[in-house]
Every structure is written in structure tokens, then in C-alpha cells.
């Protein structure tokens, strides 16, 4: 493993970096240069000859950060921003000391359902809207989402209710359409290790919500984030959504321990999805409380006006009164741990 | 599966039950009689002939409860006590709307360490003392606990500080000694399916803390509790302590989702052990907060005055200031969810 | 779930199918029509009115198969081809009663390594060559494969040694290049649920090797295959490659039980990858023997002339004498279970 | 960790060992003495002063073995008997180059079923009889085995058919009765970490079949065996019986990779239980073949004359023709891997 990773400022000329590498090698480092989007990373290991300290790199004008190494994911490493980084989506800020609630239907089934849900979750206290347009479905014979046909309704929902929107991307071919419609791109559990997709998102200027793969280790997850960060996109929020274990009383096992684990290892904000994480609507309330108490920067929950009629995931969706109750319950817990619910009063009025 | 389980009062004569079984059979039920400690259980399935309603059993003088069946664990089933049962240990009550904190060293290494820890955790707000005397250790070549040599110190700790004590039992042969020394018997994860041990504890009049096996399903856990309940011992508290999964950033994966799952299925109180559940001292604070927020009736944590010198499990033990901080952090969360910390003021003064 | 799935011949006019659907509805079926590549699927559930038997569909000229339903993966279901289907790749046939050995380096590091390995594995008894060109790597900072630069060497290897080649595809954008170079396209574990990729491969006329996702259930795996089959590509071979469990003495847990499970549920051929499945070169021999004994149609193993110098996965690669020994050991086991090693004598001479 | 473990001959006087420890300390070792049944273990780590080689210990008359350390399970370590140890049960030898088939009913339901099964499995080629007397059952309300009532039938079965018998022990209180009835004591998965039970068996002179816990790591399993070995009982056979994973198409996931893993780490014989390991009668044939091909020293399978009527585990039991077919299929595979089926011709004639 390496001892140091020096991270360049954006857009440094390649020639300058080549010269730096030569200089470092002459000074006794074993050096590898890696291009990461608009930046370069210099992985440097001191040699047997007395090596210069990390000041060697810090003193260079075109170097932005030097992190002390052995991290497999240097750009996301907590040591880089010890107080955590924040990610801004519309008027919402993840990681800034407030708890964010994202809510909405599993998929945009009809414009009416989407608009009704958006109106009600905003009224109850959601800060952001989630909605599936391109759905990755286990079976090819089930409802696959409305696809592009949903875009008009999304735009309408955002303009009416001012809620930023997060939606899943499953293929690079959907990127342009989603960039012109939604505020944050979600990479779902099944695509956490879809590296061509991550690389494409790494070069975008749009926040990404990176869900944990359903059997991903913390290291694999942070490495997946590194594809985004190395590409130049530093607006990354991680989302725990349950892991696959032997236990069957819940659809997945929500791994809340990962929240403080991540807080110690990465500067990226972390939220929790108790809908997918448990697969049971009746567990959303207690597990949302627990997620906030464990230190999460927010939760993302599925809400549907009539869950029993939902085309997908109704069994893990709150109804509208259930969502209102959720916000009521979360408020005192969020206060108790010092990260109050996001004040959505600044959102554009209806 | 059965449709009804009729549970007798304690100590009903066998002859009365035999007569009832005959009467029920004549009335069209298929019936099985099972002795459960001081009680009998009648498993009854109505036949094709128009069966009498459950009033048939309810009307019998020697029947205490009739629960509507298909439950594999009728005595622990939530339908039996829809508001939950409570378990009293000394002045402490589990399941009664307060959050209980149990704290203490992994094992009673020396009388001094035990007494020092007891004094300090009581001062900081613990309601009960945990301490290992008989330690089940993975390797035969590691410290196995003090065994009976620790008993004097336990008695001293309780008499000085008034804290009820819970300690693990690993063999029926230890039962008499533990009964004369501790207030609650713990069945550890490795013994959750040690049915001869459970059966023996089922006939005791002493509360039992039943930890989840490290790969036990909820059903297996409730069935293990049923061995205790069927034996006649209804003073059972369940304890989630982490399950074994693929993830390695924590020693086990603390399954907090199981707390609300259990609350829906059993009337027994449920607590959480974040020390064993994560194997990391730095995760005890956030996961204790999360456990209480998820609905647990308490937490049990390892505390050692000098964790680095502990003979076992130091890496997952809080030090004394860390424990004090834990109580400070838990208080507002416990208030926020309406189950305040147990008021230990009634404990016998020092 | 449905009771019947009627599968059309390829290229039936849409109008004919619409008419059939109307007719079926009038006859009392609840019907859904689904286009699957060049075919249509009719999902039909009989109604309360006395429904016509499956002969209703079987008698229609444009219907090819009617399978009795409740299968979530009708096109791959064993009932469709009770004796199993076969997949032809060059001169190799999977599922036809012979055991196939696929061997080769994890990645095409240099043309020389590739050609040396190809020559030697052919000489020792491999029937097919595996080689990675586009490597999905957990970290963005590790060797990502040669990419298109490797194609010339692949073409050379095939023309010199006559071994068909399988290589992984990780993005639709690589499809044209791979189609003009390799004989079989591999979908790796990380992409098993990359549905846009599967859909694209479903419309190709090229065999696909579909590896199991590292935490995929059998149902999810068969559903992933269904995306290929529904697209019209019926040349699908499944490959068990180890699942993620708590056990750490092997990198993954090779689930050989899945081989007979699949043989009972799907007509598709099944092979096993003991290199990835265990992550240990020393386990390739015993687990290859076990795979063939369990009923697998072949194995795929990593071989490198100098594993210690491999740029990736050397720890799970056989060296050349080790591969020769593998074939020697597999031969009697393959004979013992009645599926002898593929006779590679028909391959084009060197 | 230690560098050396010196193992004494049995029954060396304590005083001699104390003297050795003093001498070793004076020579620069850090030493710990551990009593292991009739033997002593000296754990010795060389100090900073130039330490004497391991010859220091080897030269002592009362030392039997010196194994080079860092092993957490020195007595079972492969380095102690690099060619493997063997365990004799009646006329059967485990680990001696033959494949052993153990067969019999899950439990001794009636004497008739037991005797019928014994006669038939012997005729078909079983070398040993398995039968449950004390059954650990998940629920207290299901059939718990005949208990001591079955002993007479066991004795009759052995005397009639000459098959050695293995049966499970779940409590130390059953030990005397089982010692006078059966040839080998089985420790089931649920009791693999029941250390008081293991310690008691460690002081017996009776072979033990130690099943893997259903979520036990290889290290935990070897450590459990160490309790037996350290107690002085070296007649230990390990049995893989499936581990708990997320996959549900089989009841457990049979981990055949553990067979070669164990062969590299311990000298103890290893067999496989495909009945419990898969929970499906239809998988016993292929997984038995695979187990032998992977290097197992035998298999243990459930057989019942009428599986559909079995009081327990019928779904994972072969019927009598199925067992006969199993032997027929195993024979050529066992030959192919050079460990032919045990020749049972030496068994006492009927």
C-alpha cells in the first residue's frame, strides 16, 4: 500500500505533473500518477533512502491535498475533510447538521399519483421528492417504470411544490434526459459496481446518491464512491439500504452500524432507506428513528397515497397519514441528537 | 398447524386435563395435550363437524388463556398479552415503559475491578450490573473466567451498591451456585439452542436473559424462549446481540430491525447488546441511541475501568468516562421516544 | 401468478397475437401479452367460467410452446425442455453430455502471455479460452484490463490454436467490438442484474455466459437469464462462481448444491468457476472434481504461466503444470459420472 | 501468538513440567503451561536474548511433539500429523484412504423401523449406522426422540447386523447411558460451542463426530475440536453439515470447499452430511458424489423406509432403493479419486 496520496488542483497541466513525478522519484519516492477526472493523484511510497516528509508534496503549488496513505479510497477518506463534507441539492444540504427527509412513490405510475404524493409529503415535512422513472426489476415481465413518459410530471411536480427530485439511473443512455429533469441521480444497489455507469457520473456536475450494493462490504462501497470522486464529481451521498443475510423476518437486514462506521472512515454524508432496508411498512417508523439516532444525515422513504394499489413495492410504502406521523416522531429524536429536521420553509412556496 | 392453544392454570391435576381432552375430542376437536412445567397446553384443531368456538375452552375453570393458534410459540405470542409483559429483577422492571441500562465488565477478573466498576456505573446511571463468571471461550487456551471464585465479590458488589446482577450460565451444573448469587441468569448466544439447559431454567423461579444465537432466526429464538415458558418460567427478557453476516467492518451485524419485529410478535421485553453486537467500543454510543430509538426496553454494555488491560473483550468495552457520556447521550433520546431511563433512585443507598 | 404461458413462434405478426388475446379473453382467460424479442408471450389465467384447457392455445398455429405456469421464468423453465437445452460455441457444445474445460488468464496482460497460455492449455486439454479484456475492478486505481488493445492478440490466439474465446462485457458500448472478436460474451457477477446490458445481449445472436451475482438467489439468477431469453437469445449458459457468506477461509463460498438445484428448474447448461468461487489456487483441483461430480456441464478456471506475476487474481490462478494435472484428475471423475471430458480433437489443428 | 507448542507425553508428573518451565524461562523463553487432559502443553515464545532452537524442547524425555506455533489449535494442526490421523470405530477406519458411508434414520422412532433400516442399509453397502435417540428440536412441542427407550433397539441392531452406531449427545447427563450403547458420540451443530459438553467428551475414551455449527467459521470449529483434543480424546472426526446463508433453494448451503481447506489445516478426518446440508432428499445423490470427489473421508445420510411417514426430517431422507442407488453411484467416483468405498465384508455376519 502507499504511504501518501497527493491530490492536484483541478486542471493542472499534465506536463507539470510529469515533472513533479520525476522530481519525487529523484528524491527517493516510488511514484504512480493517476488521472482522476480534472485532477491528478500521485501515489507515493518513500524509498529506503531517507525520504522527504509529506511537506515535499504539500509545498508544491499545484497540489491541493496530501493525505497520509494506506487508504484504498483516498478521495473519500475522512482524513481529507475531518469534519465531513456537505452536498447541496437545490435548497437542501446533506451533511450540514440537519436531518433530511426524502419521500415519494416507488415509481411515477401516473402524473396524478405523483402530484398528489408530492403535495402531501411536502405539506407533512419532506424536503425532497424521490420517484422512480427507470425501474430495475428482477423480472422482465413486471412493470418497468414509465420511463421518459414520466418526465413531464416530474417537472410539473418540482415547479409546483419546489421539492428537489432524486431518481434512479440504470444506464448511461438515460443520462441526458435525467440531467435535464432531476436534481440528484441515484445509483441503485444493483448498479453499485456498474463501473462504466459510475465513471460516466463521475464526470457530471450533478449530485449522486450511491446506494450500497445488497452484499457490498464497506470497502467495496467506498471504492465505488471513489470512481465518482476520481472522475471529478465530489457531490456524493451514501445510502444504506439493507444487506442480504440469512434472516427472513425482514426482506433485508438494515445495517445501521454502518452509519457510525462510515462516519469514521469517509467525509461523505450518509442517509438510510428503511423502506428497502426492511421491506415492511410497519418498520419504517422505528427504523427511521433509529437511523437518525445512529447518526444518519437523513432518511429516504417510500410513500404512496394508496399503497395497496401501488404497481410496485406497496408493502414497504407508508400511506400519507403514516408519513405525517413519521415526521412527528422523527422531530424529537432529531432534536435529541442535535441534528434537527431540515427547515423546509425556504423552499419555493406553492 | 393448530387453531387453538388452551393454557391451563398452574398445578391443575392431570386427571382434570385428561377429562377435558376427552370432552373436547367428543365435541369434534383433534386434541394434543402437552405438559409445560406447572401448566398444561391443549393444542386443539376443530374437526369437520361444526366445532364449538373457543368459548368451549374459555369456559373451563382450569383454563387460564386461550390463544388463537397457528403460532409455533403460543406462550410467547404477542396475542397473549397484547400490551406486553414485564419482568421484574430486584427493583428493575423490563418492559414497563422505562429504558434500563445494564453495565459491567466482561468478566470478574479481580474483586477490585468488579467493585470499582460497580461503584462507578451505578454513580453514572446504570440500573443493573452485568459480569461474567463462567465464560464460554472459543479457545480452550484462553482465560475462562474466575468461576466460583468470583462469587464472593459479586455478593459484595450487590450488597454495597444495590445493583441487581446478571451473569451467564453455561451448564446445568452451575445452576445452584448461580441461583444463590445472582438475580438474573443469562443464556448466551452459543447456548440459545442448548435445550437441556433451557429446560432446566424453565423450572427455575429466576428471570432469564435469553440472547439471540449468532445465526438464529426470529422463529428459532422465539422457540428457544418457548422452552423456558413451557417449563413454567415466564420471566424472560430477549437480547439482540448481533448476527453473523458477510460484513467485516463490525464483528457482528447488529440487527436493530429485530426489535420492532419482536415487539409485533411476542409480549416479552427486548433489550440490545451493542458491545457484542458490533465488537467496537466506538460504536456503543451511536448504536445504544439507535436501539432505544428503535423501541428496545434497554441496553446492556461492557464497561471496564481500563479496557486495554481487560483479560477479555477490552476492544468492545467502554471506559468509565465513556459510560458516563453514554448515559448523558441516552437520556434525551429515551425521553424523545417516551421511554425515559430507569429511575435508579429507589435502589438501596450505598 | 399465472397458470399458463403460451410462447409464440418467432416473427408472428402483432395483429395475429392481438386477435388471439381477444379470443382468449372472450373464452374466459385473463390475458397479458408480452413481447420477448422475436417472440410473444401470452400469460393467461383461467377465469371463474369453465376455462378451456391448455389445448386452446396449443391448437393455434402461431403458438410454439405452452408451459403450465406459475413459473416466474417461463422461457428458462425445465418443463420447456425436460432433457435440457444445449449451447454451441464454435465446436464446443454445453449441455450435451460432455464436460467442458475453459481455461485462461484473468486478463490479457500482454499478447505474449495470452498466446503462451493458449498454446499450453490447449495442449493440456482445454476446450475453450477465457480471457479478460474489460475488467470490472473494485478500485479505480488498479489495473483495468487492456481494453480494445487486447483484441489483436485474441484474434491471433484463436486463429493459431482454434480455441473459442469467452470474454466479459461490462457495457453496451463494448458490444460491437466484442462481437467481432469473441465467441461467447460473459456477464460477470457484478452485472448479473444490469438489466439494460442483459436486454442488449438478449437481441444478439451470440452465446452468453451468465455468472451468478455474488448474493443472488436462484430465482433472481433465473430471472436475469429470462431477460436474455425474452429478448430472443436462447444461447445461455449459467455459471456458479461462489456466493458471499460469513466464512473467510475462502474468498467466497462455492455453492455446488446450486448445480443440481438448477438442473431441476431450468433447461440451461450450468458450469462452475472454482477460481473465483474459492479465491484459492489450491482449491481449484478438489472443487473442479466436485463440480463435475455434482453434475456441472463444465468448469472455467484461471491459468497463468507465472501466477505470482499476474496483474490480477494470481492467487487464484493455476500455473501450467497445475492445469495439466487438473485435466488428468478430472478425466476419471468425468468418466465416473458419465459425462466425459469434451473431445477437443475436432478443434482446428495448430 | 506463540512460536512453539511443546506437547508432553500422557501422564507426565506435574513437578517435571514445572521444572521444565523454569528451565525454559531461564533459557530466554516466555512460557505458559496448560494442562490438556492427560497431557501438558507448553506455549513458548523466544525472548530477545538468543533463544535456543526448538531442539531445546524436543530433547526433553517427557515431551512428545513440538509444533511450530502461531496455531490457535495446536493439537489438531496438520503439521502435527502431516499425513493425517485416522479414527477407528469398530471395524471402520476414518481417514485411512477409504470412503465410509454412514446411514440410518433421523431418529429411532420404533424398534421395527430401526431394525428394518439397519438390515437394508447394511445390505446395500453402509458401513455404519446413524440413529438419533436424544433429538435437539427447535420447538418444545415436537417429537423429541425416544430417549433411553431406544437403547434396547440400538443394542439389538448392532448385535444383529454388526454395524457400529453413532448417536447424538446433547447433555453430559446422557453420557453414561450412551457410552454403554453406542460406538461414536455425535456433537450436533447446535452444541458445537457447548464447551462443558466438549470438555466432558474430551476425557472419554470414545470417538466423537463433531459437526460444524451452522454459522461456525473454520477457526471456531477447529477450536471446538481442540477442547476435545486438549482433554485427551484424540478420536475426533469432523463433519460438514451446511452453513446458514441467504440462499433459500436449499435449507443450508453445503460448504464443500471446507473439505480441502480442513485437509490443509488439520490432521483430523472429515466427512460430509448432505441430508442436513441441503435439506432435500433429491440433492443427496449429487452432493454425496461431490463430497467424495472433493476429498471427504465419507458421508453420513438419512435413510428411512418410508420417508413420508418419518416423525422428523423425512423430506431430507432417502428411501431404501434411493440409498442402494447412492452406493452404486458413489462407487465409481470413490474409485476415481483413489479412496474406494469401505469394504464392509469384515463386518460381523448377520
Amino acid at each position: 500500500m502507499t504511504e501518501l496520496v497527493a491530490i492536484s488542483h483541478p486542471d493542472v497541466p499534465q506536463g507539470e505533473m510529469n515533472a513533479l513525478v520525476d522530481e519525487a522519484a529523484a528524491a527517493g519516492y516510488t511514484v504512480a500518477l493517476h488521472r482522476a477526472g480534472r485532477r491528478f493523484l500521485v501515489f507515493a511510497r518513500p524509498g529506503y533512502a531517507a525520504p522527504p516528509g509529506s511537506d515535499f508534496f504539500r509545498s508544491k503549488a499545484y497540489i491541493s491535498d496530501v493525505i497520509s496513505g494506506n487508504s484504498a479510497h483516498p478521495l473519500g477518506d475522512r482524513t481529507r475533510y475531518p469534519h465531513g463534507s456537505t452536498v447541496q441539492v437545490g435548497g437542501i444540504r446533506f451533511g450540514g447538521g440537519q436531518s433530511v427527509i426524502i419521500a415519494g412513490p416507488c415509481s411515477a405510475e401516473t402524473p396524478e399519483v405523483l402530484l398528489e404524493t408530492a403535495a402531501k409529503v411536502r405539506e407533512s415535512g419532506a424536503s425532497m421528492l424521490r420517484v422512480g422513472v427507470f425501474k430495475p426489476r428482477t423480472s422482465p415481465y413486471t412493470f418497468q417504470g414509465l420511463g421518459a413518459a414520466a418526465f413531464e410530471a416530474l417537472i410539473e411536480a418540482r415547479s409546483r411544490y419546489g421539492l428537489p427530485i432524486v431518481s434512479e439511473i440504470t444506464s448511461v443512455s438515460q443520462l441526458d434526459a435525467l440531467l435535464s429533469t432531476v436534481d440528484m441521480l441515484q445509483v441503485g444497489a444493483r448498479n453499485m459496481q456498474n463501473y462504466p455507469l459510475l465513471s460516466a457520473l463521475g464526470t457530471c456536475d450533478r449530485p449522486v446518491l450511491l446506494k450500497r450494493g445488497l452484499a457490498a462490504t464497506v470497502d467495496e462501497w467506498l471504492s465505488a464512491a471513489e470512481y465518482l470522486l476520481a472522475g471529478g464529481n465530489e457531490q456524493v451521498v451514501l445510502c444504506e439500504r439493507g444487506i442480504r443475510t440469512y434472516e427472513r423476518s425482514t426482506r433485508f437486514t438494515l445495517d445501521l452500524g454502518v452509519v457510525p462506521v462510515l462516519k469514521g472512515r469517509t467525509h461523505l454524508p450518509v442517509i438510510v432507506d428503511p423502506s428497502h432496508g426492511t421491506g415492511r411498512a410497519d418498520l419504517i417508523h422505528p427504523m427511521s428513528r433509529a437511523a437518525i439516532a445512529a447518526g444518519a444525515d437523513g432518511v429516504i422513504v417510500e410513500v404512496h397515497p394508496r399503497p395497496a394499489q401501488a404497481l410496485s413495492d406497496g408493502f414497504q410504502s407508508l400511506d400519507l397519514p403514516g408519513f405525517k406521523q413519521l415526521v412527528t416522531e422523527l422531530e424529537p429524536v432529531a432534536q435529541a441528537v442535535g441534528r434537527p429536521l431540515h427547515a423546509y420553509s425556504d423552499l419555493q412556496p406553492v
Side-chain angles (χ1 to χ4, degrees), chain A:
Chain A
M1 276 294 151
T2 71
E3 308 275 22
L4 290 175
V5 184
I7 302 165
S8 80
H9 290 291
D11 306 323
V12 172
Q14 168 98 42
E16 299 287 351
M17 295 308 297
N18 289 344
L20 173 59
V21 162
D22 291 346
E23 189 185 345
Y29 281 99
T30 303
V31 192
L33 183 67
H34 188 93
R35 178 189 287 276
R38 294 171 56 205
R39 298 178 194 260
F40 288 92
L41 270 61
V42 185
F43 292 80
R45 186 187 299 124
Y48 288 113
S54 68
D55 290 346
F56 173 86
F57 290 100
R58 261 185 243 283
S59 64
K60 305 299 176 191
Y62 25 88
I63 292 296
S64 145
D65 301 273
V66 181
I67 64 177
S68 63
N70 293 336
S71 174
H73 7 77
L75 295 177
D77 205 274
R78 184 82 183 178
T79 56
R80 197 158 158 238
Y81 301 115
H83 300 294
S85 56
T86 63
V87 173
Q88 191 83 21
V89 183
I92 312 300
R93 201 153 59 101
F94 292 89
Q98 288 185 307
S99 298
V100 175
I101 304 180
I102 309 174
C106 174
S107 68
E109 301 170 358
T110 65
E112 291 70 28
V113 164
L114 178 61
L115 291 171
E116 176 185 2
T117 310
K120 293 294 189 174
V121 298
R122 184 202 149 114
E123 186 183 306
S124 297
S127 302
M128 205 166 143
L129 189 64
R130 59 144 292 153
V131 57
V133 171
F134 301 105
K135 302 296 302 173
R137 299 303 302 277
T138 301
S139 165
Y141 308 124
T142 51
F143 175 62
Q144 309 273 317
L146 279 191
F151 286 142
E152 206 173 323
L154 262 65
I155 291 168
E156 173 79 8
R158 188 173 43 183
S159 95
R160 273 208 216 168
Y161 305 112
L163 295 170
I165 294 175
V166 58
S167 192
E168 181 166 359
I169 181 167
T170 64
S171 165
V172 175
S173 65
Q174 302 150 356
L175 186 52
D176 286 342
L178 284 167
L179 282 176
S180 63
T181 318
V182 306
D183 303 274
M184 188 179 210
L185 297 163
Q186 176 182 309
V187 176
R190 294 179 179 89
N191 283 304
M192 193 203 83
Q193 294 189 308
N194 182 339
Y195 299 123
L197 179 62
L198 294 175
S199 297
L201 297 179
T203 62
C204 286
D205 182 28
R206 189 64 52 91
V208 174
L209 183 64
L210 179 63
K211 289 196 149 187
R212 184 186 194 175
L214 58 81
T217 64
V218 168
D219 271 310
E220 290 168 343
W221 193 6
L222 292 176
S223 290
E226 204 74 6
Y227 271 88
L228 296 165
L229 300 169
N233 187 345
E234 304 226 342
Q235 306 165 79
V236 179
V237 175
L238 302 175
C239 179
E240 158 66 20
R241 48 79 69 213
I243 58 173
R244 187 157 268 176
T245 74
Y246 72 86
E247 175 59 48
R248 291 284 131 154
S249 64
T250 44
R251 193 175 178 197
F252 294 95
T253 297
L254 193 65
D255 179 14
L256 290 184
V258 87
V259 174
V261 166
L262 287 171
K263 288 291 176 188
R265 296 191 59 191
T266 182
H267 55 80
L268 300 172
V270 182
I271 69 171
V272 170
D273 176 349
S275 291
H276 287 86
T278 66
R280 287 174 53 164
D282 64 324
L283 300 192
I284 295 178
H285 287 205
M287 299 317 285
S288 293
R289 296 190 313 252
I292 296 300
D297 297 300
V299 293
I300 177 168
V301 299
E302 294 193 344
V303 177
H304 192 282
R306 289 160 294 280
Q309 297 169 28
L311 293 184
S312 53
D313 284 3
F315 54 87
Q316 64 191 29
S317 296
L318 292 176
D319 60 12
L320 296 170
F323 178 70
K324 188 167 186 174
Q325 173 67 16
L326 174 69
V327 178
T328 305
E329 289 188 16
L330 276 184
E331 197 131 37
V333 175
Q335 291 282 352
V337 296
R339 289 190 317 285
L341 296 191
H342 180 268
Y344 44 92
S345 53
D346 300 336
L347 292 178
Q348 166 189 336
V350 182

